[in-house]
Amino acid sequence: MFGKRSFGTADLDAPAPPPPAAGAAIATRPQRQDPKTAPKAETAEGFAGLSHDSDGRKLSRKPADVAKRAEDVAPKRDAIAEIVREQSDYYHATKTTIYTALLNTIDLSQLAQLDIKQAGEEIRDIVAELVAIKNVSMSATEQDHLVQDIINDVLGYGPLEPLLARDDIADIMVNGAHRVFIEVGGKVQLTNVRFRDNQQLMNICQRIVSQVGRRVDESSPICDARLPDGSRVNVIAPPLSLDGPTLTIRKFKKDKLTMGNLVQWGSISPEGAKVLGIIGASRCNVLISGGTGSGKTTLLNCLTAYIDPAERVVTCEDAAELQLQQPHVVRLETRPPNLEGSGQITMRDLVKNCLRMRPERIIVGEVRGPEAFDLLQAMNTGHDGSMGTLHANSPREAVSRMESMITMGGYGLPSKTIREMISGSIDVIVQAARLRDGSRRITHITEVLGLEGDVVITQDLFIYDITGEDAQGGVVGRHRSTGIARPRFWDRARYYGLERELADALDASE
């Protein structure tokens, strides 16, 4: 269709990489099979998507199995790891050769006119012929993986595609072209996924950020962006990143999580989840606090499920990742400056503007600067039920961080005035944490009672007590109520007709 059988002389003469030596993964050359009729791979991850830990041992597909180590089969796994590395080197060298020949064969302008499915079929046919012409020594399954990887390189996100397809991976961390880490089950593991070179990695970073109107280059080497599914992306490029472009992707699960999922995984008790649902439905102002990777955004998404569908909600984010299900949602996103250094729209600009948009609730994806002042103003001026997240290690530290961020704005307000604003605006602080075994727990549900002198007074409704660890090294603990029978937001819950449910939840937790 676009020169798919008109191979150039240089393409035909370029030899494929020599096959591995005897005793490696491929000892003999298999009979060539048509990729369309060849048996498919058993898994959808692809050859480049298989992940291994630092010792080369293959990871389990299930997060619950990641922490288990079978020491009695370690020598066997180490031998297999050596074979995988040798085979992987040959595989990647072959893929580079075929990919280069493909680019010299096809007409990219005509390829761009096709839809993704048609373009993929055309590339598949060309690569199959190139594999036959170059006498590639690979099994049928590996050839099928090779074709799919090259399609991903041309049309998708290259070696990242198999990792993005796996729902058990929470984070993807690329430290240059040859070091790719993933987080599975709360543990970070090294994979054998790699890029051809730093230029291919940089091209993929450009492809990702350009989809949301961002750019990353030497003049703008730091960029926050998102994938179409809402996954958060951060890129930092040379010269700031010394070992090549660094790409970090915080993935979102395809299936949207609910509070029931958090209960099922032990992140919160059923009674605590019921109290959180009442807090969300009765329009309490909520601040979700926690460290990096503790599940703040996931918890915020779960809380928004209790917002009444009739309410108008405006969200403000640096990279839009919230997944609200309500029909009346306005999503706002910040904008970086252009090449001339102008046109920047900050989070504070968005929060100030959304006050003029007749919102009933304002949700700030992450509070990290002077916009904290505007969010508190909104919470205290009729926009009940507003929510936001920030980084802090405890509810008490969350209050201190809010005060610090307002002070950074240069308002010159006395500390007592700022604390009065905080105590008068925020009703509940929910603390999330990632424990040492990788599990995520809601460790505190804390009320903000008011100001006593110069001190903001808080009281815990639910806390998480760590009692020990199990045989696999996992943290064991339990959520418990502190015995508060009538929290401060009791009257608000009664206004919305939820006081009986609140009383039942608090009684059942004792």
Side-chain angles (χ1 to χ4, degrees):
M1 180 174 182
F2 41 89
K4 71 177 185 178
R5 287 181 174 79
S6 57
F7 304 112
T9 305
D11 300 327
L12 296 177
D13 293 339
I26 305 171
T28 60
R29 181 185 166 196
Q31 243 183 345
R32 179 177 177 267
Q33 298 186 41
D34 185 351
K36 294 183 178 180
T37 60
K40 298 297 181 182
E42 293 181 0
T43 59
E45 284 84 353
F47 184 90
L50 297 178
S51 54
H52 295 73
D53 61 23
S54 57
D55 297 325
R57 292 190 285 268
K58 191 163 82 169
L59 297 179
S60 168
R61 300 296 184 189
K62 298 180 180 179
D65 296 332
V66 172
K68 298 180 180 178
R69 291 185 177 272
E71 297 297 337
D72 54 331
V73 297
K76 181 180 178 181
R77 288 188 176 182
D78 288 339
I80 294 175
E82 292 296 326
I83 293 176
V84 169
R85 278 194 287 271
E86 291 179 10
Q87 183 180 15
S88 179
D89 290 340
Y90 173 67
Y91 177 89
H92 287 289
T94 303
K95 186 173 76 169
T96 300
T97 302
I98 299 295
Y99 179 80
T100 303
L102 174 69
L103 293 185
N104 293 331
T105 301
I106 63 176
D107 185 342
L108 293 177
S109 62
Q110 293 188 33
L111 182 67
Q113 298 175 8
L114 303 178
D115 60 34
I116 295 295
K117 185 176 181 180
Q118 289 177 320
E121 289 301 321
E122 292 288 346
I123 294 173
R124 185 178 296 275
D125 291 342
I126 298 172
V127 172
E129 294 193 19
L130 286 171
V131 167
I133 291 171
K134 291 183 178 297
N135 223 10
V136 171
S137 181
M138 279 188 177
S139 68
T141 300
E142 288 173 336
Q143 288 185 29
D144 192 58
H145 291 321
L146 177 72
V147 171
Q148 187 57 53
D149 285 349
I150 292 178
I151 291 175
N152 292 339
D153 286 349
V154 178
L155 303 177
Y157 302 131
L160 296 178
E161 286 284 351
L163 303 181
L164 293 170
R166 287 180 53 175
D167 207 31
D168 60 332
I169 296 176
D171 289 89
I172 302 171
M173 294 150 280
V174 183
N175 303 346
H178 304 301
R179 303 278 289 178
V180 179
F181 294 82
I182 59 173
E183 180 190 313
V184 180
K187 299 292 185 179
V188 175
Q189 306 287 346
L190 176 65
T191 74
N192 67 349
V193 176
R194 61 186 181 182
F195 297 80
R196 286 191 306 276
D197 49 35
N198 284 329
Q199 186 57 51
Q200 183 197 16
L201 174 56
M202 194 65 191
N203 290 340
I204 290 175
C205 293
Q206 294 278 15
R207 189 178 303 173
I208 291 174
V209 303
S210 63
Q211 293 179 336
V212 291
R214 306 285 173 95
R215 62 185 176 85
V216 57
D217 49 37
E218 287 190 4
S219 62
S220 180
I222 300 177
C223 181
D224 287 316
R226 54 182 164 80
L227 295 176
D229 64 355
S231 296
R232 184 190 311 165
V233 177
N234 176 266
V235 180
I236 181 164
L240 301 187
S241 180
L242 301 181
D243 300 321
T246 299
L247 172 66
T248 308
I249 300 176
R250 172 68 54 80
K251 285 184 57 184
F252 272 10
K253 288 186 175 292
K254 295 176 182 177
D255 299 327
K256 297 177 178 61
L257 299 181
T258 64
M259 197 66 72
N261 296 128
L262 301 188
V263 172
Q264 180 183 356
W265 297 334
S267 296
I268 186 64
S269 65
E271 296 79 19
K274 193 171 184 179
V275 171
L276 286 178
I278 294 170
I279 288 172
S282 58
R283 299 190 65 173
C284 294
N285 293 323
V286 180
L287 194 63
I288 298 175
S289 168
T292 300
S294 60
K296 300 186 298 298
T297 303
T298 297
L299 179 56
L300 182 56
N301 272 321
C302 294
L303 275 178
T304 58
Y306 298 96
I307 297 177
D308 192 299
E311 296 180 23
R312 176 176 169 88
V313 183
V314 180
T315 68
C316 304
E317 302 173 82
D318 281 321
E321 54 186 332
L322 293 175
Q323 300 169 311
L324 274 67
Q325 305 303 305
Q326 286 71 20
H328 199 167
V329 177
V330 180
R331 305 171 71 204
L332 305 180
E333 189 175 61
T334 61
R335 187 179 70 183
N338 57 22
L339 289 173
E340 290 76 28
S342 60
Q344 181 181 19
I345 303 297
T346 65
M347 181 68 75
R348 189 177 179 196
D349 295 329
L350 294 184
V351 175
K352 289 173 65 176
N353 182 78
C354 72
L355 295 174
R356 306 182 181 97
M357 299 174 64
R358 204 265 178 202
E360 291 179 285
R361 296 198 197 215
I362 298 172
I363 298 178
V364 179
E366 185 170 338
V367 182
R368 52 165 71 98
E371 67 271 7
F373 179 82
D374 300 288
L375 178 61
L376 291 181
Q377 291 279 67
M379 288 178 170
N380 208 16
T381 54
H383 303 92
D384 295 336
S386 296
M387 303 178 186
T389 71
L390 87 166
H391 286 81
N393 294 324
S394 68
R396 173 60 59 186
E397 288 187 21
V399 173
S400 298
R401 282 218 65 204
M402 287 290 286
E403 181 178 350
S404 299
M405 288 186 285
I406 293 173
T407 304
M408 285 191 304
Y411 294 102
L413 298 173
S415 295
K416 186 173 183 179
T417 302
I418 297 175
R419 291 169 187 170
E420 286 176 348
M421 287 183 58
I422 294 173
S423 61
S425 303
I426 299 173
D427 297 312
V428 177
I429 300 174
V430 183
Q431 181 71 31
R434 183 169 65 171
L435 306 183
R436 64 176 183 269
D437 63 346
S439 62
R440 293 169 173 86
R441 297 288 185 268
I442 296 172
T443 59
H444 295 79
I445 301 177
T446 302
E447 278 194 298
V448 179
L449 298 181
L451 198 64
E452 191 173 292
D454 288 337
V455 180
V456 177
I457 304 301
T458 62
Q459 72 175 6
D460 297 329
L461 299 180
F462 283 84
I463 61 175
Y464 181 74
D465 290 329
I466 297 177
T467 57
E469 63 180 37
D470 57 23
Q472 286 76 37
V475 173
V476 176
R478 68 183 185 92
H479 291 90
R480 65 174 179 86
S481 170
T482 58
I484 304 297
R486 289 177 66 92
R488 186 190 180 199
F489 61 88
W490 178 274
D491 291 337
R492 183 183 291 272
R494 183 171 59 184
Y495 177 76
Y496 287 94
L498 300 171
E499 78 279 6
R500 175 49 53 193
E501 295 181 27
L502 178 58
D504 292 343
L506 293 173
D507 291 341
S509 63
E510 294 180 357

